[in-house]
PDB file of all heavy atoms in Angstrom:
ATOM      1  N   LYS K   1     295.625  30.225 -88.488  1.00 97.00           N
ATOM      2  CA  LYS K   1     296.570  29.645 -87.532  1.00 97.00           C
ATOM      3  C   LYS K   1     296.772  28.151 -87.757  1.00 97.00           C
ATOM      4  O   LYS K   1     297.765  27.579 -87.328  1.00 97.00           O
ATOM      5  CB  LYS K   1     296.083  29.875 -86.094  1.00 97.00           C
ATOM      6  CG  LYS K   1     296.051  31.340 -85.679  1.00 97.00           C
ATOM      7  CD  LYS K   1     297.427  31.973 -85.778  1.00 97.00           C
ATOM      8  CE  LYS K   1     297.397  33.444 -85.385  1.00 97.00           C
ATOM      9  NZ  LYS K   1     298.718  34.098 -85.609  1.00 97.00           N
ATOM     10  N   LEU K   2     295.809  27.516 -88.422  1.00 98.00           N
ATOM     11  CA  LEU K   2     295.889  26.077 -88.669  1.00 98.00           C
ATOM     12  C   LEU K   2     295.529  25.812 -90.118  1.00 98.00           C
ATOM     13  O   LEU K   2     294.386  26.037 -90.538  1.00 98.00           O
ATOM     14  CB  LEU K   2     294.931  25.319 -87.744  1.00 98.00           C
ATOM     15  CG  LEU K   2     295.092  23.804 -87.676  1.00 98.00           C
ATOM     16  CD1 LEU K   2     296.349  23.432 -86.898  1.00 98.00           C
ATOM     17  CD2 LEU K   2     293.884  23.164 -87.002  1.00 98.00           C
ATOM     18  N   GLY K   3     296.517  25.371 -90.895  1.00 98.00           N
ATOM     19  CA  GLY K   3     296.276  25.042 -92.283  1.00 98.00           C
ATOM     20  C   GLY K   3     295.939  23.567 -92.439  1.00 98.00           C
ATOM     21  O   GLY K   3     295.636  22.870 -91.464  1.00 98.00           O
ATOM     22  N   PRO K   4     295.986  23.043 -93.662  1.00 98.00           N
ATOM     23  CA  PRO K   4     295.718  21.632 -93.879  1.00 98.00           C
ATOM     24  C   PRO K   4     296.894  20.777 -93.410  1.00 98.00           C
ATOM     25  O   PRO K   4     297.987  21.295 -93.179  1.00 98.00           O
ATOM     26  CB  PRO K   4     295.561  21.541 -95.400  1.00 98.00           C
ATOM     27  CG  PRO K   4     296.459  22.637 -95.913  1.00 98.00           C
ATOM     28  CD  PRO K   4     296.328  23.755 -94.916  1.00 98.00           C
ATOM     29  N   VAL K   5     296.665  19.484 -93.271  1.00 98.00           N
ATOM     30  CA  VAL K   5     297.802  18.563 -93.127  1.00 98.00           C
ATOM     31  C   VAL K   5     298.387  18.358 -94.513  1.00 98.00           C
ATOM     32  O   VAL K   5     297.803  18.739 -95.526  1.00 98.00           O
ATOM     33  CB  VAL K   5     297.399  17.239 -92.447  1.00 98.00           C
ATOM     34  CG1 VAL K   5     296.951  17.498 -91.022  1.00 98.00           C
ATOM     35  CG2 VAL K   5     296.320  16.491 -93.233  1.00 98.00           C
ATOM     36  N   ALA K   6     299.560  17.755 -94.583  1.00 98.00           N
ATOM     37  CA  ALA K   6     300.372  17.881 -95.791  1.00 98.00           C
ATOM     38  C   ALA K   6     299.925  17.045 -96.979  1.00 98.00           C
ATOM     39  O   ALA K   6     300.270  17.366 -98.118  1.00 98.00           O
ATOM     40  CB  ALA K   6     301.827  17.541 -95.458  1.00 98.00           C
ATOM     41  N   ASN K   7     299.177  15.974 -96.755  1.00 97.00           N
ATOM     42  CA  ASN K   7     298.836  15.112 -97.879  1.00 97.00           C
ATOM     43  C   ASN K   7     297.638  14.237 -97.543  1.00 97.00           C
ATOM     44  O   ASN K   7     297.228  14.131 -96.381  1.00 97.00           O
ATOM     45  CB  ASN K   7     300.039  14.261 -98.292  1.00 97.00           C
ATOM     46  CG  ASN K   7     300.580  13.437 -97.142  1.00 97.00           C
ATOM     47  OD1 ASN K   7     300.025  12.398 -96.793  1.00 97.00           O
ATOM     48  ND2 ASN K   7     301.665  13.892 -96.522  1.00 97.00           N
ATOM     49  N   GLU K   8     297.101  13.601 -98.557  1.00 97.00           N
ATOM     50  CA  GLU K   8     295.894  12.794 -98.388  1.00 97.00           C
ATOM     51  C   GLU K   8     296.142  11.592 -97.484  1.00 97.00           C
ATOM     52  O   GLU K   8     295.273  11.221 -96.683  1.00 97.00           O
ATOM     53  CB  GLU K   8     295.384  12.327 -99.742  1.00 97.00           C
ATOM     54  CG  GLU K   8     294.071  11.574 -99.673  1.00 97.00           C
ATOM     55  CD  GLU K   8     293.540  11.198-101.033  1.00 97.00           C
ATOM     56  OE1 GLU K   8     294.310  11.269-102.022  1.00 97.00           O
ATOM     57  OE2 GLU K   8     292.346  10.831-101.127  1.00 97.00           O
ATOM     58  N   THR K   9     297.308  10.979 -97.611  1.00 97.00           N
ATOM     59  CA  THR K   9     297.630   9.827 -96.762  1.00 97.00           C
ATOM     60  C   THR K   9     297.578  10.213 -95.298  1.00 97.00           C
ATOM     61  O   THR K   9     297.036   9.484 -94.455  1.00 97.00           O
ATOM     62  CB  THR K   9     299.024   9.272 -97.122  1.00 97.00           C
ATOM     63  OG1 THR K   9     299.016   8.840 -98.480  1.00 97.00           O
ATOM     64  CG2 THR K   9     299.392   8.112 -96.215  1.00 97.00           C
ATOM     65  N   GLN K  10     298.145  11.380 -94.984  1.00 97.00           N
ATOM     66  CA  GLN K  10     298.147  11.849 -93.604  1.00 97.00           C
ATOM     67  C   GLN K  10     296.722  12.144 -93.126  1.00 97.00           C
ATOM     68  O   GLN K  10     296.343  11.798 -92.002  1.00 97.00           O
ATOM     69  CB  GLN K  10     299.023  13.101 -93.494  1.00 97.00           C
ATOM     70  CG  GLN K  10     299.373  13.514 -92.090  1.00 97.00           C
ATOM     71  CD  GLN K  10     300.201  12.446 -91.383  1.00 97.00           C
ATOM     72  OE1 GLN K  10     300.883  11.641 -91.999  1.00 97.00           O
ATOM     73  NE2 GLN K  10     300.109  12.424 -90.065  1.00 97.00           N
ATOM     74  N   PHE K  11     295.933  12.774 -93.975  1.00 98.00           N
ATOM     75  CA  PHE K  11     294.538  13.081 -93.633  1.00 98.00           C
ATOM     76  C   PHE K  11     293.772  11.800 -93.301  1.00 98.00           C
ATOM     77  O   PHE K  11     293.067  11.719 -92.285  1.00 98.00           O
ATOM     78  CB  PHE K  11     293.868  13.814 -94.805  1.00 98.00           C
ATOM     79  CG  PHE K  11     292.409  14.094 -94.598  1.00 98.00           C
ATOM     80  CD1 PHE K  11     291.994  15.220 -93.915  1.00 98.00           C
ATOM     81  CD2 PHE K  11     291.443  13.212 -95.075  1.00 98.00           C
ATOM     82  CE1 PHE K  11     290.637  15.481 -93.712  1.00 98.00           C
ATOM     83  CE2 PHE K  11     290.089  13.457 -94.882  1.00 98.00           C
ATOM     84  CZ  PHE K  11     289.689  14.596 -94.190  1.00 98.00           C
ATOM     85  N   THR K  12     293.919  10.801 -94.144  1.00 98.00           N
ATOM     86  CA  THR K  12     293.214   9.535 -93.934  1.00 98.00           C
ATOM     87  C   THR K  12     293.659   8.857 -92.650  1.00 98.00           C
ATOM     88  O   THR K  12     292.832   8.326 -91.887  1.00 98.00           O
ATOM     89  CB  THR K  12     293.451   8.609 -95.139  1.00 98.00           C
ATOM     90  OG1 THR K  12     292.982   9.258 -96.326  1.00 98.00           O
ATOM     91  CG2 THR K  12     292.722   7.286 -94.961  1.00 98.00           C
ATOM     92  N   LYS K  13     294.953   8.871 -92.389  1.00 98.00           N
ATOM     93  CA  LYS K  13     295.477   8.239 -91.178  1.00 98.00           C
ATOM     94  C   LYS K  13     294.923   8.911 -89.922  1.00 98.00           C
ATOM     95  O   LYS K  13     294.534   8.235 -88.963  1.00 98.00           O
ATOM     96  CB  LYS K  13     297.011   8.314 -91.176  1.00 98.00           C
ATOM     97  CG  LYS K  13     297.669   7.545 -90.037  1.00 98.00           C
ATOM     98  CD  LYS K  13     299.188   7.636 -90.123  1.00 98.00           C
ATOM     99  CE  LYS K  13     299.702   8.695 -89.195  1.00 98.00           C
ATOM    100  NZ  LYS K  13     301.170   8.696 -89.031  1.00 98.00           N
ATOM    101  N   ILE K  14     294.843  10.229 -89.931  1.00 98.00           N
ATOM    102  CA  ILE K  14     294.325  10.961 -88.770  1.00 98.00           C
ATOM    103  C   ILE K  14     292.851  10.614 -88.546  1.00 98.00           C
ATOM    104  O   ILE K  14     292.424  10.419 -87.396  1.00 98.00           O
ATOM    105  CB  ILE K  14     294.516  12.480 -88.969  1.00 98.00           C
ATOM    106  CG1 ILE K  14     296.009  12.825 -88.982  1.00 98.00           C
ATOM    107  CG2 ILE K  14     293.811  13.259 -87.853  1.00 98.00           C
ATOM    108  CD1 ILE K  14     296.313  14.212 -89.526  1.00 98.00           C
ATOM    109  N   GLN K  15     292.090  10.521 -89.620  1.00 98.00           N
ATOM    110  CA  GLN K  15     290.679  10.156 -89.488  1.00 98.00           C
ATOM    111  C   GLN K  15     290.536   8.767 -88.872  1.00 98.00           C
ATOM    112  O   GLN K  15     289.640   8.522 -88.042  1.00 98.00           O
ATOM    113  CB  GLN K  15     289.990  10.197 -90.857  1.00 98.00           C
ATOM    114  CG  GLN K  15     289.992  11.551 -91.541  1.00 98.00           C
ATOM    115  CD  GLN K  15     289.382  12.662 -90.693  1.00 98.00           C
ATOM    116  OE1 GLN K  15     288.302  12.488 -90.136  1.00 98.00           O
ATOM    117  NE2 GLN K  15     290.079  13.784 -90.580  1.00 98.00           N
ATOM    118  N   GLN K  16     291.428   7.869 -89.236  1.00 98.00           N
ATOM    119  CA  GLN K  16     291.399   6.514 -88.670  1.00 98.00           C
ATOM    120  C   GLN K  16     291.723   6.528 -87.180  1.00 98.00           C
ATOM    121  O   GLN K  16     291.117   5.783 -86.400  1.00 98.00           O
ATOM    122  CB  GLN K  16     292.370   5.615 -89.432  1.00 98.00           C
ATOM    123  CG  GLN K  16     291.928   5.321 -90.860  1.00 98.00           C
ATOM    124  CD  GLN K  16     293.009   4.654 -91.698  1.00 98.00           C
ATOM    125  OE1 GLN K  16     294.191   4.624 -91.321  1.00 98.00           O
ATOM    126  NE2 GLN K  16     292.622   4.137 -92.847  1.00 98.00           N
ATOM    127  N   PHE K  17     292.656   7.384 -86.776  1.00 98.00           N
ATOM    128  CA  PHE K  17     292.985   7.500 -85.353  1.00 98.00           C
ATOM    129  C   PHE K  17     291.801   8.065 -84.569  1.00 98.00           C
ATOM    130  O   PHE K  17     291.522   7.622 -83.446  1.00 98.00           O
ATOM    131  CB  PHE K  17     294.220   8.377 -85.156  1.00 98.00           C
ATOM    132  CG  PHE K  17     295.518   7.636 -85.253  1.00 98.00           C
ATOM    133  CD1 PHE K  17     296.433   7.923 -86.250  1.00 98.00           C
ATOM    134  CD2 PHE K  17     295.837   6.654 -84.326  1.00 98.00           C
ATOM    135  CE1 PHE K  17     297.643   7.244 -86.343  1.00 98.00           C
ATOM    136  CE2 PHE K  17     297.045   5.970 -84.403  1.00 98.00           C
ATOM    137  CZ  PHE K  17     297.950   6.263 -85.419  1.00 98.00           C
ATOM    138  N   ILE K  18     291.133   9.062 -85.137  1.00 98.00           N
ATOM    139  CA  ILE K  18     289.967   9.638 -84.453  1.00 98.00           C
ATOM    140  C   ILE K  18     288.885   8.570 -84.275  1.00 98.00           C
ATOM    141  O   ILE K  18     288.272   8.452 -83.201  1.00 98.00           O
ATOM    142  CB  ILE K  18     289.441  10.857 -85.236  1.00 98.00           C
ATOM    143  CG1 ILE K  18     290.462  12.007 -85.162  1.00 98.00           C
ATOM    144  CG2 ILE K  18     288.086  11.316 -84.691  1.00 98.00           C
ATOM    145  CD1 ILE K  18     290.136  13.198 -86.046  1.00 98.00           C
ATOM    146  N   GLU K  19     288.683   7.766 -85.297  1.00 98.00           N
ATOM    147  CA  GLU K  19     287.711   6.676 -85.199  1.00 98.00           C
ATOM    148  C   GLU K  19     288.137   5.667 -84.138  1.00 98.00           C
ATOM    149  O   GLU K  19     287.308   5.179 -83.350  1.00 98.00           O
ATOM    150  CB  GLU K  19     287.572   5.983 -86.556  1.00 98.00           C
ATOM    151  CG  GLU K  19     286.555   4.860 -86.563  1.00 98.00           C
ATOM    152  CD  GLU K  19     286.438   4.197 -87.924  1.00 98.00           C
ATOM    153  OE1 GLU K  19     286.888   4.785 -88.927  1.00 98.00           O
ATOM    154  OE2 GLU K  19     285.902   3.074 -87.982  1.00 98.00           O
ATOM    155  N   ALA K  20     289.445   5.365 -84.080  1.00 98.00           N
ATOM    156  CA  ALA K  20     289.944   4.416 -83.080  1.00 98.00           C
ATOM    157  C   ALA K  20     289.734   4.945 -81.666  1.00 98.00           C
ATOM    158  O   ALA K  20     289.401   4.192 -80.742  1.00 98.00           O
ATOM    159  CB  ALA K  20     291.422   4.140 -83.325  1.00 98.00           C
ATOM    160  N   GLY K  21     289.917   6.257 -81.493  1.00 98.00           N
ATOM    161  CA  GLY K  21     289.729   6.850 -80.170  1.00 98.00           C
ATOM    162  C   GLY K  21     288.313   6.674 -79.660  1.00 98.00           C
ATOM    163  O   GLY K  21     288.093   6.270 -78.506  1.00 98.00           O
ATOM    164  N   THR K  22     287.336   6.948 -80.522  1.00 98.00           N
ATOM    165  CA  THR K  22     285.939   6.812 -80.090  1.00 98.00           C
ATOM    166  C   THR K  22     285.564   5.347 -79.896  1.00 98.00           C
ATOM    167  O   THR K  22     284.834   5.009 -78.958  1.00 98.00           O
ATOM    168  CB  THR K  22     284.997   7.466 -81.118  1.00 98.00           C
ATOM    169  OG1 THR K  22     285.242   6.896 -82.417  1.00 98.00           O
ATOM    170  CG2 THR K  22     285.232   8.956 -81.192  1.00 98.00           C
ATOM    171  N   SER K  23     286.071   4.470 -80.748  1.00 98.00           N
ATOM    172  CA  SER K  23     285.713   3.053 -80.628  1.00 98.00           C
ATOM    173  C   SER K  23     286.313   2.418 -79.375  1.00 98.00           C
ATOM    174  O   SER K  23     285.762   1.440 -78.853  1.00 98.00           O
ATOM    175  CB  SER K  23     286.169   2.285 -81.873  1.00 98.00           C
ATOM    176  OG  SER K  23     287.586   2.246 -81.953  1.00 98.00           O
ATOM    177  N   GLU K  24     287.409   2.979 -78.866  1.00 98.00           N
ATOM    178  CA  GLU K  24     288.035   2.445 -77.652  1.00 98.00           C
ATOM    179  C   GLU K  24     287.517   3.119 -76.386  1.00 98.00           C
ATOM    180  O   GLU K  24     287.987   2.812 -75.284  1.00 98.00           O
ATOM    181  CB  GLU K  24     289.560   2.570 -77.741  1.00 98.00           C
ATOM    182  CG  GLU K  24     290.170   1.660 -78.808  1.00 98.00           C
ATOM    183  CD  GLU K  24     291.678   1.793 -78.901  1.00 98.00           C
ATOM    184  OE1 GLU K  24     292.303   2.350 -77.963  1.00 98.00           O
ATOM    185  OE2 GLU K  24     292.257   1.336 -79.913  1.00 98.00           O
ATOM    186  N   GLY K  25     286.579   4.047 -76.526  1.00 98.00           N
ATOM    187  CA  GLY K  25     285.921   4.608 -75.359  1.00 98.00           C
ATOM    188  C   GLY K  25     286.324   6.009 -74.956  1.00 98.00           C
ATOM    189  O   GLY K  25     285.824   6.532 -73.956  1.00 98.00           O
ATOM    190  N   ALA K  26     287.216   6.654 -75.720  1.00 98.00           N
ATOM    191  CA  ALA K  26     287.557   8.044 -75.421  1.00 98.00           C
ATOM    192  C   ALA K  26     286.411   8.963 -75.868  1.00 98.00           C
ATOM    193  O   ALA K  26     285.617   8.608 -76.742  1.00 98.00           O
ATOM    194  CB  ALA K  26     288.850   8.443 -76.111  1.00 98.00           C
ATOM    195  N   ARG K  27     286.335  10.127 -75.259  1.00 98.00           N
ATOM    196  CA  ARG K  27     285.239  11.054 -75.510  1.00 98.00           C
ATOM    197  C   ARG K  27     285.756  12.290 -76.236  1.00 98.00           C
ATOM    198  O   ARG K  27     286.709  12.937 -75.783  1.00 98.00           O
ATOM    199  CB  ARG K  27     284.601  11.449 -74.175  1.00 98.00           C
ATOM    200  CG  ARG K  27     283.502  12.505 -74.250  1.00 98.00           C
ATOM    201  CD  ARG K  27     282.735  12.573 -72.918  1.00 98.00           C
ATOM    202  NE  ARG K  27     283.620  12.757 -71.771  1.00 98.00           N
ATOM    203  CZ  ARG K  27     283.852  13.940 -71.190  1.00 98.00           C
ATOM    204  NH1 ARG K  27     283.268  15.036 -71.644  1.00 98.00           N
ATOM    205  NH2 ARG K  27     284.640  14.009 -70.122  1.00 98.00           N
ATOM    206  N   ILE K  28     285.129  12.625 -77.365  1.00 98.00           N
ATOM    207  CA  ILE K  28     285.529  13.815 -78.118  1.00 98.00           C
ATOM    208  C   ILE K  28     284.940  15.052 -77.443  1.00 98.00           C
ATOM    209  O   ILE K  28     283.718  15.182 -77.309  1.00 98.00           O
ATOM    210  CB  ILE K  28     285.061  13.732 -79.576  1.00 98.00           C
ATOM    211  CG1 ILE K  28     285.788  12.600 -80.304  1.00 98.00           C
ATOM    212  CG2 ILE K  28     285.295  15.053 -80.289  1.00 98.00           C
ATOM    213  CD1 ILE K  28     285.318  12.384 -81.732  1.00 98.00           C
ATOM    214  N   LEU K  29     285.818  15.955 -77.025  1.00 98.00           N
ATOM    215  CA  LEU K  29     285.374  17.210 -76.423  1.00 98.00           C
ATOM    216  C   LEU K  29     285.098  18.272 -77.478  1.00 98.00           C
ATOM    217  O   LEU K  29     284.201  19.102 -77.330  1.00 98.00           O
ATOM    218  CB  LEU K  29     286.431  17.727 -75.451  1.00 98.00           C
ATOM    219  CG  LEU K  29     286.691  16.897 -74.195  1.00 98.00           C
ATOM    220  CD1 LEU K  29     287.831  17.515 -73.395  1.00 98.00           C
ATOM    221  CD2 LEU K  29     285.435  16.796 -73.340  1.00 98.00           C
ATOM    222  N   THR K  30     285.896  18.268 -78.531  1.00 98.00           N
ATOM    223  CA  THR K  30     285.717  19.207 -79.634  1.00 98.00           C
ATOM    224  C   THR K  30     286.394  18.618 -80.847  1.00 98.00           C
ATOM    225  O   THR K  30     287.300  17.802 -80.737  1.00 98.00           O
ATOM    226  CB  THR K  30     286.293  20.591 -79.313  1.00 98.00           C
ATOM    227  OG1 THR K  30     285.927  21.517 -80.346  1.00 98.00           O
ATOM    228  CG2 THR K  30     287.809  20.567 -79.182  1.00 98.00           C
ATOM    229  N   GLY K  31     285.933  19.029 -82.036  1.00 98.00           N
ATOM    230  CA  GLY K  31     286.506  18.489 -83.256  1.00 98.00           C
ATOM    231  C   GLY K  31     285.842  17.190 -83.653  1.00 98.00           C
ATOM    232  O   GLY K  31     284.623  17.055 -83.592  1.00 98.00           O
ATOM    233  N   GLY K  32     286.649  16.215 -84.061  1.00 98.00           N
ATOM    234  CA  GLY K  32     286.124  14.930 -84.470  1.00 98.00           C
ATOM    235  C   GLY K  32     286.400  14.641 -85.930  1.00 98.00           C
ATOM    236  O   GLY K  32     287.223  15.305 -86.576  1.00 98.00           O
ATOM    237  N   PRO K  33     285.698  13.659 -86.503  1.00 98.00           N
ATOM    238  CA  PRO K  33     285.979  13.253 -87.883  1.00 98.00           C
ATOM    239  C   PRO K  33     285.537  14.281 -88.906  1.00 98.00           C
ATOM    240  O   PRO K  33     284.699  15.143 -88.637  1.00 98.00           O
ATOM    241  CB  PRO K  33     285.180  11.948 -88.018  1.00 98.00           C
ATOM    242  CG  PRO K  33     284.089  12.066 -87.011  1.00 98.00           C
ATOM    243  CD  PRO K  33     284.667  12.827 -85.858  1.00 98.00           C
ATOM    244  N   GLY K  34     286.122  14.166 -90.099  1.00 97.00           N
ATOM    245  CA  GLY K  34     285.731  15.034 -91.204  1.00 97.00           C
ATOM    246  C   GLY K  34     286.454  16.365 -91.230  1.00 97.00           C
ATOM    247  O   GLY K  34     287.283  16.669 -90.369  1.00 97.00           O
ATOM    248  N   ARG K  35     286.111  17.167 -92.234  1.00 97.00           N
ATOM    249  CA  ARG K  35     286.705  18.494 -92.387  1.00 97.00           C
ATOM    250  C   ARG K  35     285.958  19.518 -91.529  1.00 97.00           C
ATOM    251  O   ARG K  35     284.778  19.335 -91.228  1.00 97.00           O
ATOM    252  CB  ARG K  35     286.662  18.942 -93.845  1.00 97.00           C
ATOM    253  CG  ARG K  35     287.557  18.137 -94.781  1.00 97.00           C
ATOM    254  CD  ARG K  35     287.405  18.653 -96.215  1.00 97.00           C
ATOM    255  NE  ARG K  35     288.341  18.011 -97.128  1.00 97.00           N
ATOM    256  CZ  ARG K  35     288.115  16.853 -97.733  1.00 97.00           C
ATOM    257  NH1 ARG K  35     286.969  16.209 -97.518  1.00 97.00           N
ATOM    258  NH2 ARG K  35     289.010  16.337 -98.563  1.00 97.00           N
TER     259      ARG K  35
END
């Protein structure tokens, strides 16, 4: 139901957003960084 994102640039950008979310105080309920 969920494949990869389309390219490496997009993958890296999403990882940076996830890091920004935790650093700004949001709480990860499920998922998170990495594959």
Side-chain angles (χ1 to χ4, degrees):
K1 295 301 179 186
L2 192 73
V5 296
N7 56 79
E8 185 176 15
T9 299
Q10 193 63 25
F11 176 85
T12 301
K13 187 178 99 170
I14 294 165
Q15 299 304 312
Q16 291 169 346
F17 273 117
I18 292 172
E19 182 180 343
T22 55
S23 67
E24 292 180 16
R27 175 167 53 99
I28 294 176
L29 294 176
T30 188
R35 292 179 174 86

